[in-house]
Amino acid sequence: MSTLLRNGVFRTLIFVQIFVAVTTLAFLHSLSVSVLQILESLQLLLLFGVAFYVTWLQRAMRAQVATREETERELRRERNTLEKRVDERTAELRAEVSERRRAEQQNRDRNRILEMLVRDEATPIILHAVAEAVSHYSTSLACALHLLQGDTLILAAQSALPSTLAGRLQQIAIQNMDAPESIALATKAVHTMDDLREAHKPWTELLRANGAQSVWTSPISAGDCCLGTISVYSLLLHPPGESDLEFLQTTCQLAALILDHHRMNEELIHRAYHDPLTGLGNRRLGKKGLESAIQRAQRDSRGVGVLWIDLDKFKQINDTYGHPAGDFVLREMAHRITARMRASDIVARMGGDEFMVIVERMENRGDAEHVARELLTLLAQPVHMAETQFSVTASIGISVYPEDGDSAEILEQRADLAMYEAKFAGLGSRTFSTDLIEEHAKRKFLEAAMRRGLEDGAYSLVYQPQCLPTGKLVALEALLRFQHPQLGSIPPSHFIPILEETQLILPVGRWVLQQVCRQLKIWQNAGCEVVPVAVNISSIQFAGGDFSNEVSAILSEAGLDSSLLELELTESLVMHDFSETSRQMQKLKDLGVRIAIDDFGTGYSSLSYLHRLPIDALKIDRSFVEMITEPEGTRPIVDAVISMAHTLGLRVVGEGVETLGQMEALCRGGCDTLQGYLFSKPVPADQALQLLRHRQLMRPLPQLSEGGSLSISVCPARVIA
Ligand code: C2E
Ligand code: CA
Ligand code: CA
């Protein structure tokens, strides 16, 4: 437009010049100037005009060129700015796209990891996916995920690490404070090393030598505790930006979630297969363990021993001292069993007070029997709980693969059966044999008859005399008998454990007390001068807590003088819980009943304990009396016990006296009363009445004593043969 304008002006100027020239010519002509003169002057004028015009033209053109250049420059500037803006925008868009892609990748990775978690994939695989997510974040980044085990960080997963660097990072001791992992763990915060060159530490030099330039590490935390670390190793110099650190934090949170999930899973599995009380495997694990042991044994043609352990009278511990005490005993027994076995042996709690031990790589049955014997000794050691001392015994049944069965189920059943028979035979341990099946059936048959026994009149009492060294009867002991309609008379050593295990001892024990009181009353009514009668009391009767009330009720029901009743409590019962027992004993003493400690010497009590109990007498166990006349026998012990018991004001009864020698030895030691076949076997009530009437069971012999302490000698003059 300006060019056009400029051309218009130019044309006007030419017109003006021509007009001036023509006007000048006309004027000169009018002045009669010759044409030549005019032409001369015109030539000058024209030259001048042309010169002027050329100069003007040049100037105009220069101006035009300058304008055009300026325009072009302006255009270039505009284009540059535009290009710059386009470049900037492109870069922005590119950054946005890669950021979005990265975010999408992160999302994909996170979702994949969560899906893996939901699918319950193995934790190492999921952790590997976490490490991979870091290297997806940037191609120059590698990742190392360490888990804390004790005081070492173990490389659990990695991605894109050069193999030599991965080798170096396998294990990091947390004491190595040059390692970024240890620092992050100690400070519980992200630790960055922007340029490993600047650290000048042997460890960082080592990392650098293996390709790392920068590293940032964050602890994996769950609550207050650190589970491990995630490190990002940059193979280029790469100080982390804010978003990088944010990404690292999120990755650590994800790892913590995975580890927490793993821990929960492990816990659930552990719970499903373990007994929370003892920490041992439970029935399910025991069964699985036995199945695998059988498979291993099949491969290497060796035997497997199954030991089925059952604690004796465990219910009584629970009833007497409460469940916490029962739990304590179970934990203690579990501990003793595991301590005896090898770490590879399987020990499981199969039920309330039942444990199973699997002995692998057995040469013969003897191996399992040997382990059983050792376990029995270990389990029978006293249990100390606060002020209380328990003595718990166990019974063990043994079955052996392949002889006794080839499946876990059959082996378990047979070991269990052998255990029952061991318990009822009072044998401690028993190995399965086919005879046991019959014995077991017989025992079940017996058990059924015993349940009906009170109604059927199958129980009866016999009485065994206790005499002074002079042979004079001073007391009786009532002993229970059971007559089976088909099996005949069953020995107490056989049926008393059944009564105790089935709790039948409670009604039967009450019946014994009632029967004794009634019997004394009958003898009194028959005009006989009676002596105190001793009744054996099972620890289960004592465990109830209101035993003294029961005794009191029975005495008053019979209208009997309480001093005629003596209760025999076993030593092990007394030692179960000293304070509780002495409290209960005191209540019985307050009734006026006499108390004796039976089977003294077989438990763990010491005389110093006993003097704090309200007792009247001590019965020295038959096993001591049996050996009293042996050259290296029990005489010194028996003498010491008698003299100490006397110091404590206790009467001493010697049990199981069968020979004159035994009697003499006891009497020399100062034993007050004697009981045994030498005087009389236990006899039914009618015969006991005769003994009561006669009173003198032995005829004194002329003095034989050389030591002076034995005042009389005796010769058998039994009233009853
Ligand atoms: P215990 O209380 O030690 O009873 C003494 C046992 O020794 C009795 O056996 C008796 O017959 C036996 N005995 C006595 N003198 C001799 C002897 O000179 N030589 C030999 N070899 N044995 C002799 P029994 O009657 O078989 O009773 C065994 C156990 O059964 C008793 O041992 C007692 O612990 C228990 N028992 C018996 N009756 C009852 C009862 O009514 N209740 C409870 N809870 N237990 C009872
Ligand atoms: Ca007794
Ligand atoms: Ca006894």
Side-chain angles (χ1 to χ4, degrees):
M1 180 73 180
S2 61
T3 324
L4 278 177
L5 214 129
R6 262 186 249 126
N7 286 346
V9 171
F10 179 69
R11 253 185 247 119
T12 317
L13 275 171
I14 302 262
F15 267 125
V16 169
Q17 276 197 347
I18 293 169
F19 175 74
V20 169
V22 172
T23 321
T24 311
L25 275 175
F27 175 66
L28 287 174
H29 185 69
S30 67
L31 287 177
S32 308
V33 180
S34 70
V35 172
L36 216 67
Q37 283 173 315
I38 293 169
L39 280 173
E40 270 176 11
S41 29
L42 261 177
Q43 197 180 1
L44 267 172
L45 190 67
L46 209 65
L47 273 171
F48 173 74
V50 166
F52 174 77
Y53 179 69
V54 167
T55 317
W56 179 84
L57 201 64
Q58 276 176 339
R59 204 172 281 167
M61 279 172 72
R62 264 204 302 276
Q64 207 172 357
V65 168
T67 314
R68 196 177 300 137
E69 276 175 1
E70 176 59 27
T71 313
E72 277 174 5
R73 262 201 304 279
E74 207 170 296
L75 275 173
R76 239 191 332 271
R77 255 200 314 273
E78 273 176 18
R79 202 177 60 223
N80 281 350
T81 331
L82 206 67
E83 275 176 1
K84 213 168 135 198
R85 278 174 55 198
V86 167
D87 281 353
E88 276 172 8
R89 187 67 195 126
T90 314
E92 263 173 37
L93 281 174
R94 210 173 278 152
E96 259 174 44
V97 167
S98 66
E99 194 54 46
R100 197 175 305 140
R101 276 210 193 120
R102 184 183 282 176
E104 277 169 9
Q105 180 65 44
Q106 276 177 32
N107 257 345
R108 264 201 304 278
D109 283 337
R110 191 176 306 130
N111 288 346
R112 187 165 80 96
I113 291 166
L114 292 174
E115 274 169 26
M116 289 167 95
L117 211 58
V118 171
R119 280 201 306 270
D120 248 345
E121 286 195 25
T123 306
I125 297 174
I126 310 181
L127 290 179
H128 179 73
V130 171
E132 252 178 11
V134 174
S135 44
H136 288 161
Y137 184 76
S138 165
T139 45
S140 64
L141 300 182
C143 174
L145 191 155
H146 285 90
L147 294 183
L148 187 61
Q149 272 180 28
D151 50 9
T152 309
L153 283 160
I154 309 282
L155 185 66
Q158 59 103 350
S159 71
L161 276 182
S163 58
T164 47
L165 184 56
R168 290 291 175 189
L169 295 175
Q170 282 303 321
Q171 291 196 1
I172 304 169
I174 59 168
Q175 293 87 357
N176 174 7
M177 290 309 281
D178 290 351
E181 285 81 1
S182 305
I183 304 171
L185 206 66
T187 55
K188 294 187 175 176
V190 177
H191 182 73
T192 58
M193 288 182 167
D194 295 349
D195 186 351
L196 286 172
R197 280 173 308 186
E198 287 168 4
H200 303 299
K201 300 263 175 61
W203 180 259
T204 46
E205 284 306 306
L206 194 114
L207 295 179
R208 234 162 53 76
N210 285 289
Q213 301 281 333
S214 311
V215 51
W216 354 307
T217 305
S218 167
I220 306 172
S221 315
D224 266 353
C225 83
C226 286
L227 308 171
T229 56
I230 292 183
S231 295
V232 178
Y233 283 86
S234 174
L235 309 177
L236 305 172
L237 264 186
H238 181 119
E242 215 169 278
S243 61
D244 300 331
L245 293 177
E246 210 172 282
F247 170 67
L248 180 62
Q249 299 273 54
T250 340
T251 311
C252 281
Q253 283 164 4
L254 194 60
L257 184 78
I258 296 161
L259 293 172
D260 199 42
H261 179 83
H262 175 75
R263 189 187 50 76
M264 251 168 57
N265 263 357
E266 293 276 287
E267 208 174 291
L268 283 176
I269 294 171
H270 189 271
R271 268 198 210 165
Y273 286 97
H274 287 82
D275 162 43
L277 180 72
T278 59
L280 292 179
N282 60 12
R283 178 175 273 275
R284 199 185 288 176
L285 192 68
K287 203 169 162 63
K288 269 189 160 210
L290 181 53
E291 280 161 2
S292 335
I294 292 172
Q295 279 166 9
R296 283 191 289 275
Q298 276 163 350
R299 279 199 298 272
D300 54 37
S301 319
R302 306 281 281 274
V304 178
V306 180
L307 272 61
W308 197 274
I309 306 170
D310 187 286
L311 303 183
D312 301 332
K313 301 182 199 168
F314 179 69
K315 189 176 181 302
Q316 182 192 327
I317 295 174
N318 270 336
D319 290 352
T320 318
Y321 316 110
H323 285 266
D327 289 352
F328 180 84
V329 170
L330 286 173
R331 275 196 297 268
E332 175 66 21
M333 295 297 136
H335 173 73
R336 289 182 191 182
I337 297 170
T338 37
R340 161 63 185 79
M341 305 310 295
R342 288 175 297 210
S344 58
D345 289 331
I346 297 165
V347 180
R349 182 175 171 210
M350 304 301 278
D353 61 342
E354 290 177 327
F355 300 89
M356 182 176 70
V357 171
I358 300 170
V359 185
E360 288 191 65
R361 295 186 297 282
M362 250 181 32
E363 295 295 344
N364 52 48
R365 278 174 184 263
D367 291 354
E369 284 163 359
H370 173 75
V371 176
R373 274 195 300 279
E374 282 193 11
L375 284 176
L376 283 174
T377 314
L378 276 175
L379 298 181
Q381 300 298 311
V383 179
H384 301 275
M385 190 185 84
E387 294 284 279
T388 312
Q389 183 175 268
F390 297 89
S391 50
V392 181
T393 55
S395 303
I396 303 183
I398 304 166
S399 69
V400 171
Y401 168 86
E403 296 93 311
D404 301 333
D406 57 3
S407 76
E409 206 176 341
I410 292 181
L411 287 168
E412 269 182 33
Q413 271 172 11
R414 300 199 152 171
D416 189 20
L417 190 145
M419 181 280 295
Y420 258 82
E421 293 317 306
K423 188 177 293 268
F424 292 117
L427 285 177
S429 78
R430 241 180 139 170
T431 310
F432 176 81
S433 70
T434 41
D435 305 347
L436 277 191
I437 298 179
E438 199 185 320
E439 222 172 283
H440 186 70
K442 227 157 101 180
R443 197 186 49 73
K444 284 279 170 200
F445 183 57
L446 177 63
E447 202 178 297
M450 282 169 59
R451 285 187 190 278
R452 298 188 308 267
L454 282 179
E455 297 107 78
D456 293 355
Y459 294 101
S460 63
L461 288 178
V462 287
Y463 299 86
Q464 186 176 32
Q466 292 177 3
C467 301
L468 293 177
T470 55
K472 188 181 174 209
L473 187 151
V474 283
L476 292 166
E477 178 178 1
L479 293 158
L480 186 61
R481 295 289 174 261
F482 178 77
Q483 183 75 21
H484 191 278
Q486 283 90 39
L487 302 172
S489 175
I490 310 292
S493 58
H494 197 159
F495 74 78
I496 298 278
I498 301 179
L499 286 180
E500 288 185 327
E501 203 62 30
T502 55
Q503 303 282 306
L504 277 172
I505 194 73
L506 294 172
V508 174
R510 192 180 315 116
W511 176 85
V512 172
L513 275 168
Q514 287 167 335
Q515 193 59 22
V516 165
C517 293
R518 272 186 226 129
Q519 191 59 61
L520 277 163
K521 219 53 204 154
I522 292 170
W523 286 329
Q524 276 179 340
N525 293 344
C528 176
E529 196 192 325
V530 291
V531 291
V533 177
V535 175
N536 292 287
I537 302 300
S538 160
S539 50
I540 292 171
Q541 289 169 272
F542 215 73
D546 58 352
F547 180 64
S548 58
N549 294 340
E550 186 178 314
V551 174
S552 160
I554 292 170
L555 280 169
S556 46
E557 193 189 316
L560 194 79
D561 178 3
S562 58
S563 66
L564 285 174
L565 190 63
E566 181 163 285
L567 302 179
E568 293 192 2
L569 310 174
T570 58
E571 191 187 1
S572 49
L573 177 149
V574 174
M575 296 320 292
H576 260 318
D577 180 348
F578 193 83
S579 55
E580 173 61 15
T581 312
S582 67
R583 203 178 55 81
Q584 288 225 40
M585 278 187 177
Q586 192 54 55
K587 281 169 84 180
L588 289 166
K589 269 311 282 177
D590 295 344
L591 292 177
V593 175
R594 302 202 303 185
I595 297 175
I597 299 296
D598 205 358
D599 306 340
F600 186 78
T602 55
Y604 300 97
S605 52
S606 66
L607 283 166
S608 60
Y609 258 96
L610 293 180
H611 93 272
R612 283 152 50 200
L613 292 172
I615 53 177
D616 303 279
L618 263 192
K619 294 187 78 174
I620 297 176
D621 192 64
R622 186 157 64 84
S623 55
F624 286 83
V625 175
E626 221 171 12
M627 310 268 289
I628 200 166
T629 50
E630 305 282 314
E632 295 286 304
T634 47
R635 189 164 178 172
I637 309 173
V638 173
D639 285 355
V641 168
I642 295 172
S643 80
M644 282 180 76
H646 283 169
T647 322
L648 300 173
L650 302 176
R651 190 163 46 84
V652 181
V653 185
E655 274 191 301
V657 185
E658 292 184 354
T659 66
L660 277 171
Q662 289 167 352
M663 178 186 172
E664 192 185 358
L666 282 166
C667 292
R668 277 188 197 285
C671 187
D672 305 284
T673 322
L674 306 148
Q675 179 181 347
Y677 294 171
L678 180 67
F679 301 91
S680 167
K681 286 201 166 179
V683 295
D686 53 343
Q687 292 179 21
L689 180 61
Q690 289 183 48
L691 294 178
L692 279 171
R693 289 216 165 108
H694 198 275
R695 274 303 157 94
Q696 192 64 34
L697 267 65
M698 281 188 146
R699 176 161 48 81
L701 281 179
Q703 184 84 17
L704 284 178
S705 167
E706 68 284 353
S709 62
L710 182 65
S711 55
I712 59 142
S713 289
V714 289
C715 70
R718 286 184 230 165
V719 174
I720 286 108

